[in-house]
Amino acid sequence: MNRVLTDAEIATYDRDGYLILEDAVTADQLRRLRDQWDAWVEDSRAHAGDFGDYQDGRARFDLESGHSSDAPKLRRVNSPVEISDIYMEIAKSSRMADAVVDLIGPDVKFHHSKINSKPPRSGTEVKWHQDFPYTPHTNDDVVTTLLMVDAATEANGALRVAPGSHKEPLKSIWHGGVFTGAVDEETRLDWEARAITCEASAGAVCLMHTRVGHGSVPNHSDGWRTVAINVYSADDAVPLTRNPLPSAYEGMLIAGKRTGRIRSIGFGIEIPQYPTTTSFFEQQEAVGQS
């Protein structure tokens, strides 16, 4: 794989916990990603509720409340790499994947993928959280990539991050014995006060450290905001809990070789609650912000 990131960009990621990289896929790859997404949206018009077979018994396609054939509201596809050649291609062979290797390589493996979308005038928000408590590993060389299939703006609910929060202690997403999937109110207010909105053009990617605090507000625009998400780890980062989005390709090498080693760091966090609904949106929506 070719080196994509400069030393200065890697230093920015290390300092802030995230980095925006423009042109993370080619123009042709972006067109094919959009065509595939449009085809799934069109297919969703024929369904009144979540649909599609997924390996753990849940539905693969998640529909937001208010979905109809006239106003489709497809908001999640679980493990798109299993059913789409182009989503698999960009997960393995793109500037995006090469950038991940620059950050946590040389030996990098795939963990899971999903698509999160906010339909026009959508009510879906993502409450503040860190990814690591959802998918704890023996170490935190874990990167979430958020590829902008559509341009991300403040109006359409772009990702918001709290720079530097990946260097802070892990935050619980359990409160009062209930799995809320979100941090407590004190942490939320702190992160909100220093939040940066990650506006970016279509085809750009946000490379995000697994421990950085992030969330997003609903889409108030008339257009879609669709993000293809892939999660990668260093080969010696071993999952400590089962994958909330199991994939036939979990553990697939993206670069380098098998190390045959486990590297661990010190931390403590509660075991996450395994989702029983189509997506984690329902987990966060089931309770109010703590």
Side-chain angles (χ1 to χ4, degrees), residues 274-290:
Y274 195 82
T276 57
T277 53
T278 308
S279 76
F280 90 122
F281 294 123
E282 288 93 342
Q283 286 180 300
Q284 288 200 338
E285 290 167 350
V287 292
Q289 180 82 316
S290 298

Side-chain angles (χ1 to χ4, degrees), residues 88-132:
M88 172 60 87
E89 179 182 315
I90 63 108
K92 293 171 57 179
S93 304
S94 61
R95 288 187 77 232
M96 177 186 78
D98 291 349
V100 172
V101 177
D102 289 346
L103 293 176
I104 59 172
D107 308 306
V108 176
K109 62 189 178 185
F110 175 85
H111 188 254
H112 74 265
S113 69
K114 53 187 175 270
I115 302 171
N116 285 350
S117 188
K118 294 179 182 178
R121 302 293 171 181
S122 166
T124 294
E125 67 174 318
V126 178
K127 296 178 181 178
W128 284 92
H129 67 285
Q130 299 162 304
D131 284 350
F132 195 74

Side-chain angles (χ1 to χ4, degrees), residues 84-275:
S84 168
D85 291 342
I86 180 55
Y87 280 86
M88 172 60 87
E89 179 182 315
I90 63 108
K92 293 171 57 179
S93 304
S94 61
R95 288 187 77 232
M96 177 186 78
D98 291 349
V100 172
V101 177
D102 289 346
L103 293 176
I104 59 172
D107 308 306
V108 176
K109 62 189 178 185
F110 175 85
H111 188 254
H112 74 265
S113 69
K114 53 187 175 270
I115 302 171
N116 285 350
S117 188
K118 294 179 182 178
R121 302 293 171 181
S122 166
T124 294
E125 67 174 318
V126 178
K127 296 178 181 178
W128 284 92
H129 67 285
Q130 299 162 304
D131 284 350
F132 195 74
Y134 278 98
T135 55
H137 285 60
T138 56
N139 68 69
D140 59 9
D141 272 350
V142 182
V143 176
T144 300
T145 63
L146 301 100
L147 179 73
M148 315 306 168
V149 179
D150 304 307
T153 68
E154 187 170 3
N156 69 15
L159 174 76
R160 304 184 75 215
V161 300
S165 53
H166 64 305
K167 297 182 181 294
E168 300 169 1
L170 289 167
K171 309 299 184 182
S172 178
I173 49 180
W174 286 85
H175 305 291
V178 176
F179 185 79
T180 69
V183 297
D184 60 67
E185 182 70 359
E186 180 180 359
T187 301
R188 183 187 72 82
L189 291 172
D190 174 41
W191 287 352
E192 283 274 11
R194 51 193 168 108
I196 299 295
T197 300
C198 296
E199 295 187 292
S201 58
V205 69
C206 178
L207 303 157
M208 190 173 69
H209 193 286
T210 186
R211 292 175 67 143
V212 80
H214 62 283
S216 64
V217 299
N219 178 3
H220 298 297
S221 78
D222 293 325
W224 289 76
R225 198 226 71 177
T226 303
V227 180
I229 301 173
N230 290 283
V231 178
Y232 304 88
S233 76
D235 182 66
D236 60 6
V238 177
L240 294 172
T241 57
R242 60 177 171 153
N243 197 333
L245 284 176
S247 170
Y249 299 102
E250 181 179 351
M252 172 181 64
L253 272 178
I254 297 297
K257 63 183 187 303
R258 301 290 182 195
T259 63
R261 294 180 57 82
I262 298 172
R263 178 167 51 91
S264 62
I265 61 174
F267 68 91
I269 196 71
E270 298 97 329
I271 297 171
Q273 179 175 286
Y274 195 82

